[in-house]
Amino acid sequence: MGKQLVISVMSKDRPGIIADITTVIYDLGGDLADLNQSVLGGYFSMILIGEFDDKVTPEDLLAGFSHINSETKIEANIMEMAVSLETEKGKLPLETYVVTAQGENRKGLVKTMGDFFYSLNINVLDLVTTREKQVYTMIFQVDLGHISSMKAFRKELQDLATVESMNLVLQHNDIFMATNEVGTSSCSIIRN
Amino acid sequence: MLRSDQIMATVEMVQKENLDVRTVTMGINLLDCRAGSVKATCKRVEDKIAEYAHNFVPKCNEIASKFGIPVVNKRISVTPAALVGAGFDVDAFVLLAKSLDNAAARADVDILGGYTAHVEKGMTASDRALIESVPKALSVTERLCSSINVGSSQKGINMDAVAIMGETIKKLAEETAESGGFGAAKFVVFCNQPGDNPFMAGAIHGVEEADVVLNVGVSGPGVIARSLKKAINRIGKENLKLDDIAEEIKQITFRVTRCGELIGRQVSKELNVEFGVVDLSLAPTPKVGDSVGEILQILGVDDVGAPGSTAIVAMLNDAVKKGGIFASKAVGGLSGAFIPVMEDAVLAEAVGKGALSIEKLEAMTCVCSVGLDMVPIPGDVDAVTIAAIIADEMAIGMVNNKTTAARIIPVPGKKAGEVVSFGGLFGESPIMEVRNVNKSARFIAWGGRIPAPIHSFKN
């Protein structure tokens, strides 16, 4: 097996941008593994993992991306993966929770939550935020595997909610899976 | 991660719509507890319940805390006591009742069900002794509930037993007269009683079940009521038809059922106990905003009991089943909308306004679960009339191949229109008028059995 590269790309969105990027990867013999893509505020962003022959270098990819026509310059970052994809492909950690935070929009809300999780050494697995009128909503998927007392953690969250005038809700990730995933039965959600 | 709107919808269901798991009920087989003496049998009963249930309530609380979804009631059901105490006399059954009550207290559950006999075809001496013991057994215990199955679609209705039920209910109410006849609220008469129903007062651990199982009753009607209001606001009344509303109820029920099953299965896994079924029933509580009646009002009748109420209940019941059955791997129990008068503030209010009669309630029970439930009637209604009301309700279950039940409470010293209150989950209501009293004696006096209905040529 060759090397695995993590590639992140950002550009102004337009029809054909995915085709152009994946053509560069294909031409260099790359095999796509996991990929995540979204469009935010008219900007296209994609992060992917590709498997390449050892001789392919990040510079080869950057050179390929530089030839793509775009309204803005294609911003790309490429890093070699230290851990094999197979190892990383495990499911979500057992104690994955979702913290939803809502409050009146102001500067520093995400930083406040980020600082809070960092202070407790909590890894944020995923984050989505939206702003609707003046209400800012943040949804953090977090790994609480190392939290010894959920009661104490809930109390800390509640204290933060009071201090920051936010509505913070903590729910286990499995609840969301159970209530929203048609193809996932309760039996398959429950793990050892 | 899931879409943010899906996540926020679930968060709202838990936070604002008060999603909960209504009950987790541990069913325990007691058939192997029979010993050489009454005392030894009672001890074995208490020991077996303690063995399986000692960690039941703490574990439910722990899982509820982990998932952030409350488990409102933790209860125990046992093998019908008439089988456990086969050969016992009345006094011995009362001792067994006290042991069951002790066991419930030791396990820290508020209610234990299964002081039960199944007599739809005939009564053994033990069945008769248990039934005779019911007034005393329920008046000297706190947590015990009793149920008697007097009919089934396969065997017909045992009218001798129905006649005895009328007398038993009267005695039970009189034994507990100082609390408004509260004893009768812990006693229910069934047709087609299921062996895996987690809801009280009729929960039992059927003889067809494994040694120990966990059954779950999903969330109450409040979640559906608030979700419907929200959907109507969002989509607009003018853009919704009844089939759209039925679809909305199905989707809510799907989510609610998934939550209930997830938590039930997690508890069952951690207690190393087999998971039984999810009961999809909508069980109201007297709390404002937790009412089946409120759903009927949202769907278009100003008072429960007005024409259209039966049709709405039929639609609600069906939509709940459809959503829940798709969501769950194993559905059972009663699985329908309950309309217990005293436990549902909107139903009780309708009684007070004169909008809801026993006859209309009876009609509604033809299309929903479970029957004439928590119906307070004047204390001077005679036993024979009560038996005849029960017979009517049993006939509905027998012919329609469904479970029906009657939990009728003659309130000593009170008349129609006066209010009776039991507090807590048992609620309160104005007493319902019983019309045509003392006109059914010749019917009940026949005794014998109403034969089982034909099971083909259905139209």
Side-chain angles (χ1 to χ4, degrees):
Chain A
M1 194 180 83
K3 63 172 81 167
Q4 290 175 338
L5 300 177
V6 182
I7 303 165
S8 85
V9 186
M10 194 181 88
S11 142
K12 184 88 174 155
D13 192 32
R14 64 161 170 82
I17 190 80
I18 291 179
D20 287 347
I21 291 167
T22 50
T23 298
V24 172
I25 292 167
Y26 177 76
D27 288 347
L28 288 168
D31 183 14
L32 285 186
D34 289 356
L35 185 153
N36 217 320
Q37 177 257 316
S38 65
V39 177
L40 197 64
Y43 279 82
F44 164 92
S45 163
M46 182 159 76
I47 182 164
L48 61 90
I49 295 168
E51 290 179 9
F52 295 86
D53 284 343
D54 282 332
K55 60 183 185 194
V56 176
T57 65
E59 288 71 27
D60 296 335
L61 284 155
L62 289 172
F65 295 148
S66 68
H67 290 107
I68 295 174
N69 283 326
S70 174
E71 209 178 299
T72 60
K73 183 176 173 262
I74 300 261
E75 301 281 352
N77 276 303
I78 299 159
M79 296 178 81
E80 194 160 344
M81 276 182 77
V83 184
S84 99
L85 188 59
E86 291 308 313
T87 317
E88 282 290 289
K89 256 191 177 165
K91 301 289 177 202
L92 284 170
L94 205 58
E95 298 304 335
T96 299
Y97 280 74
V98 173
V99 176
T100 53
Q102 276 186 316
E104 196 176 333
N105 186 41
R106 64 174 192 268
K107 286 179 186 170
L109 282 177
V110 178
K111 174 183 158 41
T112 300
M113 294 304 298
D115 287 347
F116 171 75
F117 292 129
Y118 180 50
S119 71
L120 296 169
N121 195 29
I122 290 169
N123 189 27
V124 176
L125 305 169
D126 208 342
L127 166 63
V128 178
T129 74
T130 53
R131 190 177 73 182
E132 199 174 320
K133 293 174 185 165
Q134 272 311 299
V135 178
Y136 199 72
T137 303
M138 296 165 275
I139 302 173
F140 297 87
Q141 195 176 40
V142 292
D143 178 8
L144 299 186
H146 71 288
I147 298 291
S148 55
S149 166
M150 285 305 294
K151 197 176 166 187
F153 180 66
R154 282 184 192 278
K155 170 82 172 52
E156 290 201 57
L157 260 186
Q158 206 44 57
D159 291 346
L160 180 71
T162 307
V163 171
E164 299 293 338
S165 300
M166 283 195 289
N167 181 29
L168 298 180
V169 179
L170 175 70
Q171 297 280 172
H172 199 282
N173 192 69
D174 288 353
I175 289 290
F176 299 101
M177 298 289 290
T179 53
N180 290 291
E181 297 270 305
V182 170
T184 314
S185 72
S186 302
C187 306
S188 61
I189 293 170
I190 293 171
R191 294 163 289 175
N192 291 317
Chain B
M1 190 153 65
L2 294 161
R3 288 203 330 255
S4 56
D5 58 331
Q6 293 174 321
I7 288 175
M8 293 315 292
T10 302
V11 167
E12 281 213 359
M13 211 165 68
V14 176
Q15 294 291 304
K16 294 185 184 163
E17 293 155 18
N18 299 330
L19 173 73
D20 57 39
V21 174
R22 199 42 45 112
T23 185
V24 176
T25 301
M26 176 181 273
I28 303 174
N29 164 42
L30 297 182
L31 284 175
D32 55 357
C33 293
R34 188 54 198 265
S37 68
V38 174
K39 196 176 164 190
T41 302
C42 289
K43 184 174 182 316
R44 289 178 73 169
V45 163
E46 289 194 43
D47 289 348
K48 183 159 185 190
I49 293 173
E51 179 192 344
Y52 285 102
H54 73 280
N55 201 24
F56 171 49
V57 172
K59 191 54 78 180
C60 282
N61 292 339
E62 183 189 316
I63 301 293
S65 166
K66 172 178 174 175
F67 286 101
I69 310 262
V71 175
V72 180
N73 298 305
K74 281 76 70 175
R75 286 157 176 183
I76 292 173
S77 63
V78 297
T79 311
L83 301 174
V84 181
F88 281 12
D89 61 14
V90 173
D91 292 336
F93 270 115
V94 173
L95 289 175
L96 180 58
K98 287 179 177 169
S99 280
L100 291 169
D101 199 45
N102 288 340
R106 278 171 66 186
D108 197 25
V109 296
D110 61 341
I111 298 181
L112 181 148
Y115 199 69
T116 298
H118 282 189
V119 297
E120 59 267 34
K121 195 168 180 195
M123 283 179 279
T124 63
S126 303
D127 294 331
R128 286 181 184 277
L130 179 131
I131 292 169
E132 197 181 332
S133 76
V134 164
K136 175 119 191 246
L138 293 194
S139 60
V140 298
T141 55
E142 277 181 31
R143 301 164 196 247
L144 191 62
C145 280
S146 175
S147 51
I148 307 292
N149 192 67
V150 299
S152 74
S153 299
Q154 282 71 40
K155 305 295 178 194
I157 301 172
N158 181 344
M159 287 302 294
D160 293 325
V162 169
I164 295 172
M165 292 303 101
E167 291 161 11
T168 304
I169 289 168
K170 285 289 283 183
K171 280 184 202 158
L172 189 47
E174 281 154 17
E175 287 267 358
T176 53
E178 74 289 347
S179 58
F182 178 59
K186 298 189 288 179
F187 179 71
V188 56
V189 184
F190 271 100
C191 179
N192 295 322
Q193 182 178 26
D196 53 6
N197 155 36
F199 288 103
M200 297 296 173
I204 59 167
H205 183 72
V207 289
E208 69 280 9
E209 298 288 320
D211 212 28
V212 185
V213 297
L214 273 190
N215 297 315
V216 170
V218 298
S219 188
V223 176
I224 290 185
R226 276 179 286 280
S227 297
L228 282 179
K229 277 184 186 168
K230 212 171 65 183
I232 291 167
N233 284 339
R234 191 182 68 242
I235 302 164
K237 213 181 288 182
E238 63 285 359
N239 299 320
L240 282 168
K241 300 283 182 201
L242 282 172
D243 43 349
D244 301 318
I245 290 171
E247 188 61 27
E248 188 72 25
I249 295 170
K250 269 167 62 181
Q251 292 189 20
I252 303 159
T253 312
F254 174 86
R255 290 184 183 175
V256 164
T257 306
R258 275 292 180 82
C259 274
E261 182 162 358
L262 175 68
I263 287 175
R265 284 193 184 275
Q266 192 72 46
V267 174
S268 107
K269 177 176 159 282
E270 299 214 5
L271 289 174
N272 198 22
V273 165
E274 190 175 314
F275 184 79
V277 298
V278 176
D279 187 318
L280 306 173
S281 297
L282 292 179
T285 65
K287 225 167 54 177
V288 173
D290 198 20
S291 157
V292 168
E294 187 188 357
I295 299 176
L296 270 67
Q297 288 180 327
I298 292 168
L299 295 192
V301 288
D302 296 339
D303 282 317
V304 178
S309 299
T310 308
I312 294 175
V313 169
M315 187 188 88
L316 171 67
N317 209 48
D318 180 67
V320 165
K321 283 182 206 289
K322 284 173 178 164
I325 281 173
F326 182 52
S328 171
K329 191 175 166 189
V331 172
L334 298 168
S335 287
F338 296 172
I339 43 173
V341 176
M342 290 186 68
E343 294 174 356
D344 188 309
V346 175
L347 293 183
E349 190 190 339
V351 171
K353 288 179 176 175
L356 183 58
S357 65
I358 288 183
E359 289 78 7
K360 185 62 179 177
L361 267 179
E362 189 182 301
M364 288 160 72
T365 66
C366 296
V367 297
C368 78
S369 179
V370 67
L372 294 174
D373 197 10
M374 288 299 283
V375 176
I377 61 171
D380 59 1
V381 175
D382 62 295
V384 168
T385 302
I386 294 173
I389 294 171
I390 292 171
D392 284 344
E393 191 59 40
M394 299 300 106
I396 291 169
M398 177 183 73
V399 170
N400 293 303
N401 294 297
K402 72 187 283 293
T403 302
T404 49
R407 188 157 47 147
I408 295 167
I409 306 151
V411 183
K414 291 210 174 181
K415 300 203 176 312
E418 291 185 70
V419 173
V420 60
S421 175
F422 295 144
L425 287 174
F426 290 92
E428 68 174 33
S429 166
I431 290 166
M432 297 188 81
E433 182 192 359
V434 178
R435 299 192 302 148
N436 295 310
V437 175
N438 289 323
K439 292 183 183 175
S440 312
R442 285 185 298 114
F443 166 58
I444 295 299
W446 289 114
R449 286 179 18 225
I450 295 179
I454 196 160
H455 288 281
S456 59
F457 299 105
K458 291 192 171 181
N459 267 312

